[in-house]
Amino acid sequence: DQQVKQNSPSLSVQEGRISILNCDYTNSMFDYFLWYKKYPAEGPTFLISISSIKDKNEDGRFTVFLNKSAKHLSLHIVPSQPGDSAVYFCAAFGNQFYFGTGTSLTVIP
Amino acid sequence: GAVVSQHPSRVICKSGTSVKIECRSLDFQATTMFWYRQFPKQSLMLMATSNEGSKATYEQGVEKDKFLINHASLTLSTLTVTSAHPEDSSFYICSAGLAGRLETQYFGPGTRLLVL
């Protein structure tokens, strides 16, 4: 059973606007969450993470929000750029890694 | 939803021994499986791409004789770390993709390898 879900397989956003990628999880024991970005034919690269003791972490244009009560994680990219077009995976860690299935983001110039 | 399992979830072995890690797609046929290595708080490093019935394609810098990959069926791929050394200690993660839909990948939970 998928413990981490990304329910939107794809997302299209205009350049300059905000991209919001969502992730839901089921296990309240997860204590660390990560977002990865993946270009075709490459392995996922680490983007940003958040500990369960926080509800927000910001790094430049990327902000991750954690809502523990809703078991929901989101990644905000603002402003979105064409180079952000990639597949984004969220992952949760609690002794093992649990990955979502990915959301393909397309930023339209 | 699609599930990928890995076995074992963690393994401790002595230096010089070989360790086999299994990656199984439990409810779908995975024509392509990927093997990654995860260093602490770093990106997943793609080691190799495994296609059912053919030889794996290794990424540059990955020793194919050290990391043996076998994708014998549409539901099983194995990674064997041969003559393991302490520097091989890491998380090894597999993912499985469907033919023609590799943008959607289903990841296994990872195997923690500790080589003493």
Side-chain angles (χ1 to χ4, degrees), chain A residues 88-102:
Chain A
Y88 290 79
F89 293 94
C90 67
F93 184 77
N95 294 322
Q96 289 182 310
F97 283 97
Y98 297 88
F99 282 84
T101 53

Side-chain angles (χ1 to χ4, degrees), chain A residues 1-2 36 44-46 96-97 101, chain B residues 2-3 9 36 38 43-44 109:
Chain A
D1 190 26
Q2 285 283 125
Y36 292 84
T45 56
F46 171 73
Q96 289 182 310
F97 283 97
T101 53
Chain B
V3 177
S9 58
Y36 299 90
Q38 164 86 72
S43 298
L44 291 172

